[in-house]
Amino acid sequence: MDPALQTPMYFFLRNLSLLEVCFTLVMVPKMLVDLVSPRKIISFVGCGTQMYFFFLFGSSECFLLSMMAYDRFVAICNPLRYSVIMNRSLCLWMAIGSWMSGVPVSMLQTAWMMALPFCGPNAVDHFFCDGPPVLKLVTVDTTTYEMQALASTLLFIMFPFSLILVSYTHIIITILRMPSATGRQKAFSTCSSHLIVVSLFYGTASLTYLRPKSNQSPESKKLVSLSYTVITPMLNPIIYSLRNNEVKGAVKRTITQKVLQKLDVF
């Protein structure tokens, strides 16, 4: 609603907020039902559907976070050309590309896994249908699938993360070259929220998917999964609002405007 927030950074932030709403809706409603229900069941089709959308939104978030890092790179390293480079058309295509990037990997991994034979145990030791716990129910050798899943993980998690590292390497170098301490502090403050979100998301996701056969107990893996599927999306609005003076200023202006409008009515 506030004109000051109609910038590319907040355009990507709106996409991130919508993406995380979709991401949590994939598993949280079912998880809440299972917490109060004595029969914790999910159909085969329901499990595959949940896994598909989990892969889809998770991969999309990885790429969206890298697009947000590029936006900060242009803003700090090329401030005079920022409005020209980050135009409305480019931002729209970057957002569409981020949303669509998860489609290939989610379709491939889900279709391949659901085509494997499941004729043994049928209890998923997890609070949602994720790849590693569902794979344990397969009754044939899954080495080929695991190699493909690891390659997809490296591509769709580490490739966007590498783009983020490159962007922030240039950002840090640019900030350190700034002669003014105030300018350095202001430039770093615009990136701090994104850095916190990236650290939380990639840190917990890497513990789960880059160490699929680690010595971690199932309970600890569930806790790590809970952190990036529920806790991190819950913290992101707080991180981006309470740590952002522009957002706090916009909230104050909006509330003041609404109050004044009501006073004019009376």
Side-chain angles (χ1 to χ4, degrees), residues 135-153:
L135 196 63
K136 292 181 180 179
L137 309 182
V138 177
T139 55
V140 296
D141 181 42
T142 59
T143 303
T144 303
Y145 177 85
E146 290 178 19
M147 293 176 61
Q148 177 272 332
L150 180 60
S152 299
T153 300

Side-chain angles (χ1 to χ4, degrees), residues 209-224:
Y209 296 104
L210 296 183
R211 299 172 58 192
K213 291 189 176 181
S214 65
N215 295 324
Q216 290 179 311
S217 65
E219 288 73 21
S220 63
K221 288 186 176 182
K222 292 176 192 175
L223 184 62
V224 173

Side-chain angles (χ1 to χ4, degrees), residues 21-200:
V21 168
C22 298
F23 187 60
T24 53
L25 285 176
V26 171
M27 70 284 294
V28 171
K30 176 61 178 171
M31 180 185 70
L32 295 177
V33 170
D34 288 340
L35 287 175
V36 298
S37 174
R39 298 184 68 230
K40 301 169 175 46
I41 60 173
I42 186 170
S43 66
F44 183 78
V45 174
C47 184
T49 302
Q50 188 182 59
M51 190 157 44
Y52 170 80
F53 283 106
F54 172 74
F55 290 151
L56 172 66
F57 295 130
S59 301
S60 299
E61 184 164 350
C62 291
F63 279 90
L64 185 60
L65 289 173
S66 67
M67 297 299 102
M68 296 174 71
Y70 177 75
D71 172 71
R72 293 297 84 205
F73 161 75
V74 177
I76 294 175
C77 299
N78 296 282
L80 299 180
R81 301 180 57 201
Y82 178 72
S83 59
V84 177
I85 297 175
M86 300 302 295
N87 55 70
R88 184 183 297 271
S89 177
L90 178 63
C91 292
L92 181 61
W93 281 111
M94 289 171 67
I96 293 174
S98 298
W99 280 88
M100 297 302 295
S101 62
V103 174
V105 66
S106 58
M107 291 183 64
L108 175 63
Q109 292 210 33
T110 305
W112 192 348
M113 180 176 289
M114 292 295 102
L116 295 173
F118 294 88
C119 53
N122 61 353
V124 179
D125 189 15
H126 209 31
F127 64 91
F128 69 97
C129 288
D130 194 7
V134 173
L135 196 63
K136 292 181 180 179
L137 309 182
V138 177
T139 55
V140 296
D141 181 42
T142 59
T143 303
T144 303
Y145 177 85
E146 290 178 19
M147 293 176 61
Q148 177 272 332
L150 180 60
S152 299
T153 300
L154 292 174
L155 176 62
F156 284 90
I157 291 182
M158 299 311 297
F159 177 69
F161 185 66
S162 300
L163 297 179
I164 294 173
L165 285 180
V166 171
S167 297
Y168 273 102
T169 299
H170 288 283
I171 288 172
I172 292 173
I173 293 174
T174 302
I175 291 176
L176 293 177
R177 290 176 177 174
M178 291 181 178
S180 170
T182 304
R184 289 194 297 268
Q185 182 178 1
K186 184 177 179 181
F188 183 76
S189 65
T190 62
C191 305
S192 58
S193 297
H194 184 254
L195 278 173
I196 294 172
V197 171
V198 168
S199 300
L200 288 173

